[in-house]
Amino acid sequence: MGNAMATCCGDARISESPSEAKEGFAIGSNKTAMVAIEYQNELCSDGGKLHPAFKEVMASTGMLADTARVADVVRKTGAKVFHTPVVLKAEFCNTFEMIVIVIVKGKNGSDAFMGSDLEKQLKQHGIDTVVICGLFTSCCVESTIRTACEKGFNVVTLTNCTATSSSDGQKAAADLKI
């Protein structure tokens, strides 16, 4: 099992081979899911209490537009899109709300698996590869990546579909090779 960091291009393709995550084997849409972490109005939308902390980095990476574009392509391939909202005010970010297929219940920590039914749902859908994106690159995204690897999932991280609270923090997290 492995991990690959990738950047989604404007035309919603992966610019680095995602097959690196599966040690050279192709990734099939029927066993792949996009896991979107904390795409909520409180964090992603103007007027959200925590939005100012992420606004600059979200704009610099094109996070919302790229995520919506990738999620749309993912859905069209038949793969699933899971949203793992943090328990506080879990209203979807307007950009993303029409794309999510499965809502994960119970996330209450920095790791999308902790206290939620994410692992159960992934296994019920026969998922072996997760494509991870979302907020708090250096915290929630990284924690989820580690846990997904430990649980045996192949992991692809879309670095331009992530954001944290500072440009330096984003660069450090996005440049990290696991």
Side-chain angles (χ1 to χ4, degrees), residues 48-126:
K49 289 180 183 172
L50 299 174
H51 182 251
F54 302 101
K55 186 175 184 173
E56 179 185 330
V57 175
M58 286 173 46
S60 74
T61 64
M63 176 192 166
L64 291 178
D66 285 351
T67 301
R69 199 171 16 259
V70 172
D72 188 48
V73 170
V74 166
R75 277 189 46 217
K76 287 177 181 173
T77 69
K80 304 271 187 276
V81 178
F82 291 77
H83 183 242
T84 61
V86 68
V87 176
L88 60 95
K89 268 198 162 179
E91 298 166 350
F92 282 109
C93 169
N94 297 334
T95 305
F96 201 62
E97 69 182 331
M98 299 310 293
I99 298 169
V100 173
I101 297 173
V102 182
I103 299 173
V104 174
K105 297 176 183 167
K107 179 183 178 303
N108 59 14
S110 59
D111 174 351
F113 287 92
M114 187 170 76
S116 77
D117 64 350
L118 178 59
E119 182 177 16
K120 177 182 173 188
Q121 288 197 47
L122 291 171
K123 286 181 177 181
Q124 283 177 341
H125 287 90

Side-chain angles (χ1 to χ4, degrees), residues 96-165:
F96 201 62
E97 69 182 331
M98 299 310 293
I99 298 169
V100 173
I101 297 173
V102 182
I103 299 173
V104 174
K105 297 176 183 167
K107 179 183 178 303
N108 59 14
S110 59
D111 174 351
F113 287 92
M114 187 170 76
S116 77
D117 64 350
L118 178 59
E119 182 177 16
K120 177 182 173 188
Q121 288 197 47
L122 291 171
K123 286 181 177 181
Q124 283 177 341
H125 287 90
I127 303 302
D128 68 9
T129 301
V130 291
V131 177
I132 297 178
C133 57
L135 283 172
F136 284 141
T137 313
S138 56
C139 181
C140 300
V141 173
E142 285 184 4
S143 295
T144 302
I145 291 168
R146 285 186 200 95
T147 301
C149 287
E150 289 171 1
K151 291 184 177 291
F153 293 98
N154 301 298
V155 179
V156 176
T157 307
L158 299 178
T159 56
N160 66 312
C161 296
T162 64
T164 197
S165 58

